Structures are given as C-alpha cells and as structure tokens.
C-alpha cells in the first residue's frame, strides 16, 4: 500500500465521470455562448458548431461573424481543444489498457526468447491484418463501419451520393480533415452530425492507434530478436563493466540488459543513483540504520 500511495500514476489520470463532466461543460458553454451571447444561433446549430470546432473538423459551413463571437471562438478553441484532447487521451488510454494484457504476454514471450528460454508458439498466422487486429476487432470494426456508413447515407439521403462519395465523407470527417465540400445543411442533419462526428473521430483514432502500435511493436520485436542473436564479445564486456574493475557483476549485467531492452534509460538510472547517494549519508555504499539516524539529525538541525 505504501508503494501504491506514492508511486501509483493513477492519481494523475481523470476518471470516466470527470471526463464526461468536462465534455458536457464544453458543449454547454459553447452552445450557450453562440446561441444567447454572440451569434444568436439556434441551440442545435450552436451545438453542432461547438462539436465541429472542438474536434477540428471545421467544415466551413458555419463561422462566427460578430467581433465578440470571433474573439470568443479564438479563446474557446484553444482551451476547448486542449481539454477535449485530454478527454480523448484518457479514453484512448483505457483502450490501450485493455490491450496491455495481450501485448505484455507477447512481450514477455519475446524477452524469454531473448534470454534463451523456450516459448510455445501461440499462433501460426503470418498475415499483417491478423497480427494487428484480433477476430473480435475485425468484427467490431466491420459493424462500426456499417453503422457509420448507414448514418452517412441517411444523413445525406437527399444528395444521392455514390458508395465512393459516402466513403470519402466518412474518412474526411473521422480523420478531422474537413475540407468543407460535403457537410450537413439542415438543422436535423446537423443535430445528427453532432453524435456522428464524435463517434467517427473516436473510432478512427482507435483504428489508427492500433496500426501505429503494431509498427512500434514490430520494431521492438525485431530489436529483441537482434539482441537474442547477438554473440557477446570482449567489447560488450567492456561496456557492461561500468566500474572498470575488469569483471562484470550481476548488477552491471542486469543494468546493461535492461537498458538494451528499453526497460530503463540512462537518465532514469542516473536519477536513481543520485537518490541513493543522498540516502547513503555515511557513504558506505549501503543503506543502513546509521544513514536513517543521520538523516533524521540533519532534518532536526535544518528545522
């Protein structure tokens, strides 16, 4: 419990209800400001413009015309996008955490191979798609795509779009490019687009995150494989021998291997060493009761 109190990073994260509250607050402030303070738009139009602004889609079909509205939009966009980025990042981290279990198993398997242990093969699949996405992911993305496609067709049912044009709108919206050539026109279309934009942007963010995560994981796997196949020589021993004693201790070997595997970096190790030296008041190279007593005396004198 003591370790979790001071070392846990969960206290720096926002919870689900905090994220939901921040999102609602942003939508409320934007809607009220554009409807009743600056532009006198209808509520659904102000809500639509707020979402389009915060997600950086920026279709170009609506824009503030008053001086106050433009000034407010300038400030609101900077702070609003920053806050929404935090919210999206928190939800993204939850998605990543859901994948951590599987990734950790694969990573430990790769590390076991690096350390010379035998590992059972868990899959014979070699195609890229199966390595990036599980069967559940594929099914979920198909259903989400059909949902987004159906909503887009309904949203622009009067436009008589072709299949390609609908796909184009989905991609341009979900990636927040928003050229402005296709956008909702009527009030009910804009109201529906409020939900559609938030969902499509979230889905695309997760999808692109999985692809980038796969690329990073492949680079990591390739590196671990190179470490495994590397034949250690005298030059490596010299690198491991941090104290230049001519021998490599277990601690030096551990530090060298952990650094190679990317588990720790030199800056972190230096910070830890610096912390240890401060705690080792008597300079004996070990933390003892004497160190604790001397630190207590120093605090008393300082106070």
């Amino acid at each position: 419990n003591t370790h979790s109190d001071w070392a846990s990073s969960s206290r720096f994260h926002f919870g689900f209800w905090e994220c939901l509250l921040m999102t609602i607050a942003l939508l409320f402030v934007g809607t009220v400001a554009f409807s009743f303070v600056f532009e006198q738009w209808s509520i659904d139009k102000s809500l639509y413009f707020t979402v389009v602004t915060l997600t950086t889609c920026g279709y170009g079909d609506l824009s503030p015309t008053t001086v106050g509205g433009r000034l407010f939009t300038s400030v609101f966009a900077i702070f609003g996008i920053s806050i929404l980025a935090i919210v999206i990042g928190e939800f993204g981290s939850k998605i990543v955490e859901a994948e951590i279990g599987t990734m950790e198993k694969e990573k430990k398997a790769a590390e076991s191979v690096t350390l010379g242990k035998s590992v059972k093969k868990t899959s014979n699949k070699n195609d890229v798609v199966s390595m990036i996405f599980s069967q559940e992911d594929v099914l979920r993305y198909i259903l989400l795509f059909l949902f987004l496609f159906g909503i887009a067709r309904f949203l622009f049912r009067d436009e008589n779009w072709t299949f390609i044009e609908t796909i184009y709108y989905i991609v341009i919206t979900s990636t927040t490019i928003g050229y402005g050539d296709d956008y909702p026109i009527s009030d009910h279309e804009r109201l529906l687009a409020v939900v559609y934009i938030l969902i499509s942007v979230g889905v695309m963010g997760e999808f692109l995150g999985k692809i980038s995560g796969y690329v990073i994981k492949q680079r990591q796997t390739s590196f671990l494989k190179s470490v495994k196949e590397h034949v250690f020589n005298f030059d490596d021993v010299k690198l491991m021998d941090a104290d230049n004693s001519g021998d490599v201790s277990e601690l030096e070997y551990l530090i060298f291997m952990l650094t190679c595997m990317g588990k720790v970096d030199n800056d972190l190790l230096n910070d830890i060493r610096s912390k240890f030296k401060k705690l080792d008041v008597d300079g004996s190279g070990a933390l003892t009761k004497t160190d604790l007593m001397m630190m207590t005396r120093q605090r008393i004198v300082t106070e």
Side-chain angles (χ1 to χ4, degrees), residues 201-212:
V201 170
V203 171
M204 181 60 74
E206 180 190 356
F207 180 79
L208 296 177
K210 280 186 173 292
I211 294 177
S212 60

Side-chain angles (χ1 to χ4, degrees), residues 127-294:
D127 59 290
V128 174
V129 174
S130 65
M131 287 190 286
I132 302 177
F133 306 106
S134 64
Q135 292 182 347
E136 292 78 8
D137 287 333
V138 173
L139 178 60
R140 184 159 56 91
Y141 282 125
I142 290 176
L143 293 176
L144 286 171
F145 170 77
L146 292 175
F147 170 76
L148 294 175
F149 183 84
I151 295 297
R153 295 290 290 180
F154 175 78
L155 192 62
F156 295 99
R157 59 188 180 278
D158 298 330
E159 302 295 332
N160 296 318
W161 280 356
T162 63
F163 176 82
I164 299 299
E165 288 173 323
T166 306
I167 295 296
Y168 170 78
Y169 172 76
I170 293 174
V171 174
I172 296 305
T173 297
S174 61
T175 54
T176 73
I177 293 175
Y179 289 124
D181 46 350
D182 295 316
Y183 52 82
I185 298 176
S186 65
D187 290 339
H188 75 273
E189 287 177 348
R190 285 170 174 163
L191 192 58
L192 187 59
V194 168
V195 179
Y196 182 84
I197 292 171
L198 292 174
I199 294 176
S200 62
V201 170
V203 171
M204 181 60 74
E206 180 190 356
F207 180 79
L208 296 177
K210 280 186 173 292
I211 294 177
S212 60
Y214 167 77
V215 174
I216 294 173
K217 188 171 70 174
Q218 286 299 106
R219 288 175 61 87
Q220 183 182 56
T221 301
S222 176
F223 176 74
L224 290 174
K225 182 179 179 182
S226 68
V227 173
K228 175 215 172 213
E229 296 175 348
H230 178 71
V231 178
F232 287 98
N233 51 45
F234 287 108
D235 291 333
D236 295 324
V237 172
K238 289 180 180 179
L239 290 174
M240 294 181 192
D241 185 17
D243 59 1
N244 297 317
S245 64
D247 299 318
V248 176
S249 66
E250 181 180 2
L251 179 59
E252 289 174 329
Y253 178 78
L254 285 172
I255 292 175
F256 180 82
M257 292 301 295
L258 290 173
T259 305
C260 284
M261 291 180 181
K263 293 288 189 178
V264 295
D265 56 38
N266 288 324
D267 290 336
L268 177 60
L269 289 174
N270 290 332
D271 289 340
I272 295 174
R273 288 193 183 101
S274 176
K275 178 67 175 179
F276 180 84
K277 289 179 180 179
K278 289 181 179 179
L279 296 174
D280 183 20
V281 182
D282 62 2
S284 64
L287 299 182
T288 63
K289 292 180 180 179
T290 304
D291 293 318
L292 296 177
M293 294 173 63
M294 293 177 68

